[in-house]
Amino acid sequence: MPKIGGRAARAAERHWRGVVASEGLAAGTVFLLTPQERTADVAATTPHKERRRLKRAMEAARRDIARLIAKTPEPESAHILDIQLRILEDKTLIGPVHAAIAAGASAAQAWNATVAVDDAVDAPADAPYLTARDSDTRDVRDRVARLLLGRRPAVPPLGAILVAEDIGPTRFLEIDWSHGGGLALTGGSRSSHVAMLARAKGVPMLVGLAGGAGLVDGAPALLDAERGELVLDAPAAERAAFERRAIAFSERTGQVALYLPGPAVTAEGERVWVGINVAGPTDLDGLEPSHCDGVGLVRTEFLFQGAGRPPNERRQFEAYERIIQWAAGRPVTFRTLDGGGDKPIAGLSPENEPDPFLGWRGVRLSLRHPAVFRVQLRALLRAAALGPVRVMLPMVTSPDEVAAVRDLLDKVRRDLKTHRIGFGKVALGIMVEVPAAALAIEDFDADFYSIGSNDLIQYTLAVSRGARDLEALARPDHPAVLGLIERVVAHGLKTGCEVGLCGDMGGDPRYLDRLFDLGLRSLSVAPAALARVKAAIARIGRPQP
Ligand code: PEP
Ligand code: MG
């Protein structure tokens, strides 16, 4: 966790940057939630008494969680809390605790020593691969530890801006959010259970908070989970402007939510396909499939991160199956591993690449490891027997890459046939996110194209995606970027090959008119952007007052 002490923040350091995990704006005072002290300072009595102590604490934890389930209306909360109840019943968790008690430890010592969860919660916030299970186990562990040690959790004042490294789902649900407030985490992840709960409850939330100073208890703060920043000690004019934006935000979200259930249709009645982008299976929890036309992008990297070695075919198949089943007949586009760049994959990405964004990324990395790639293609082909599946290649630069993948797919199909293993048909598409692919689009033998505006902007304008101070230069409406998009869309219209856009530009209502004018009729956006995108589409073609 970065240092969050210090007295007066210098003006330039008043602004902390973070990644938006749940949109919204909140003004309040900072409340620092420090990690819970888990030192087991309770002396052991007899093993029998310690086992009883543990049993009582676990029963109390169960009752706490059941109470939370009873009082939270959102189905996603109940589902997450249910997972915690199951963790408490997990025999593999309790066995070692009992063994440590039998060896002379107190219940608290045994619990803290054996319920091991990796506390290094510093997965980058824009690479949301922190496992939700770890965060849930950590939450359960801390609750039982608290009960064993007789400690009470800190109660933040109403409407506070909570700042912590990370918090567990039950801690989040215990806090009274009815008077506003928000959450800013120096760790955390957009796809964590807490982030899902924050979105469901409309609590503004940032993760990966970094870069400022002066973060002390009681500091007046503006949590801007639209632009991704936490501003401390803002001057009066900045506070007033923020208040105005907060009012506009709540009006807007109230209105746009009405568009969520219906199809995306312009004011002139033209239908636009709008799918969602998914960075992991937990992103779907609490989402209604009928609110979208399908999944336009599954970032399969979540399966490859943090594991130390690539996931086996069964693990991949099960993850793909879950998404296909969720989509209930709607098409799902799985992007093959987009490793490298800002997402190095242990064991696959070369060490010390001089410039990873121009190195072994996307389909290049997969083709460099054909044995690993083949496993992913096999799992995808098998999953395609369960519903409409499309396979999409990231970072394609040269037509040879597509040809090489077609060859590999043919080999995998032959192998599956030989072993009488069922598989389905897949369309093979490419991401258009390197200017070379857009410029030579006619040469790419793909079944569909999906414009990756995030990378297309970075590579066209030579502006790194991660450089926050260069953000103003990364203009989606730069003529060069629009020119490339126009070229790809025109080629699609001419040949009948479908063209969509799955980068963040598609989720930003400021650019939708323009994209529509260029002929684009297919978008895939972050689930949080779905309602506002449909609302913006409904305005396209509406006569101006
Ligand atoms: C893109 O580059 O626009 C894209 C959708 O891919 P990612 O953000 O995962 O690189
Ligand atoms: Mg990309």
Side-chain angles (χ1 to χ4, degrees), residues 178-215:
S178 62
H179 290 69
L183 190 57
L185 302 179
T186 55
S189 137
R190 275 190 303 197
S191 63
S192 67
H193 280 160
V194 171
M196 279 167 49
L197 294 174
R199 288 192 287 271
K201 281 194 169 295
V203 175
M205 174 177 172
L206 295 180
V207 293
L209 195 69
L215 203 41

Side-chain angles (χ1 to χ4, degrees), residues 14 27-30 161 214 216-222 230-234 239:
R14 286 190 294 109
T29 51
V30 167
I161 307 295
V216 287
D217 256 331
L222 305 176
L230 179 73
V231 185
L232 300 172
D233 294 311
R239 278 202 314 273

